[in-house]
Amino acid sequence: MLVGVLSACTPLGVAGPHDYDAVNQAAKSLHLSKYGHVVYTGHYGSAHRIEGNPPTVIKDVLGDETTYPSLLAELPRAGYKHLGGNAWSRKSGKTTLLVAFTELKSGDSYIDADGKRHVVPAPGADISIASVG
C-alpha cells in the first residue's frame, strides 16, 4: 500500500496516465506531419521510476530529402537549443525537454517498442523526446 501512495497510485516503474503529456505535446508542437508521414510512434520510460529512462516519445517521420533538414531547422524556431551532436534541449515549465534528432536515409532501419526491426523506404528523421526534471 505504501508503494501505491508514494507513486501516486501507480506501481513504481510503470507509466502513469499523464507521464507522456509533456513529450506528446512537444512532439505535437513540432507539427511533424507537415514534413512527412509519421510511420512510427513509441513510448517508454516513466515519471514513477526509481531509476531508468524518463518519459520518452519516439517518432519516425518519412518523406523526402527535405524532411530531415526542414525538421532540423524547426528545432531552433520552436525554442530548442543545440547541445552538440544530435542533442537539443528546451525548458518547459518545471521540466526540461531533451531531443535526440537523427537523420534516416532510405535503407536505414529502426526497432519498434516490440523489438521488431523496420527498414525505412524513404528518407526522414528519427526524433526522441524525453522529459526530465
Side-chain angles (χ1 to χ4, degrees):
M1 181 62 166
L2 181 60
V3 169
V5 172
L6 291 175
S7 63
C9 299
T10 301
L12 291 177
V14 176
H18 299 288
D19 278 4
Y20 303 114
D21 288 354
V23 294
N24 286 338
Q25 183 57 42
K28 184 177 178 180
S29 71
L30 290 173
H31 307 285
L32 300 174
S33 59
K34 177 175 153 184
Y35 301 99
H37 181 68
V38 177
V39 296
Y40 176 73
T41 298
H43 291 90
Y44 68 90
S46 170
H48 302 284
R49 69 202 184 285
I50 294 175
E51 58 184 55
N53 297 310
T56 303
V57 63
I58 299 169
K59 299 269 188 179
D60 286 324
V61 181
L62 301 182
D64 58 30
E65 62 280 342
T66 65
T67 299
Y68 176 77
S70 296
L71 279 166
L72 191 60
E74 182 62 27
L75 289 174
R77 284 194 296 263
Y80 289 90
K81 305 246 184 281
H82 190 223
L83 301 175
N86 69 346
W88 296 76
S89 73
R90 176 174 68 104
K91 283 293 277 179
S92 178
K94 296 178 183 178
T95 65
T96 298
L97 297 168
L98 297 176
V99 176
F101 196 76
T102 308
E103 183 175 15
L104 293 173
K105 296 180 181 178
S106 294
D108 285 349
S109 63
Y110 66 90
I111 298 175
D112 67 21
D114 296 323
K116 185 175 178 185
R117 181 175 300 277
H118 301 270
V119 176
V120 297
D126 176 83
I127 302 111
S128 173
I129 306 172
S131 175
V132 296

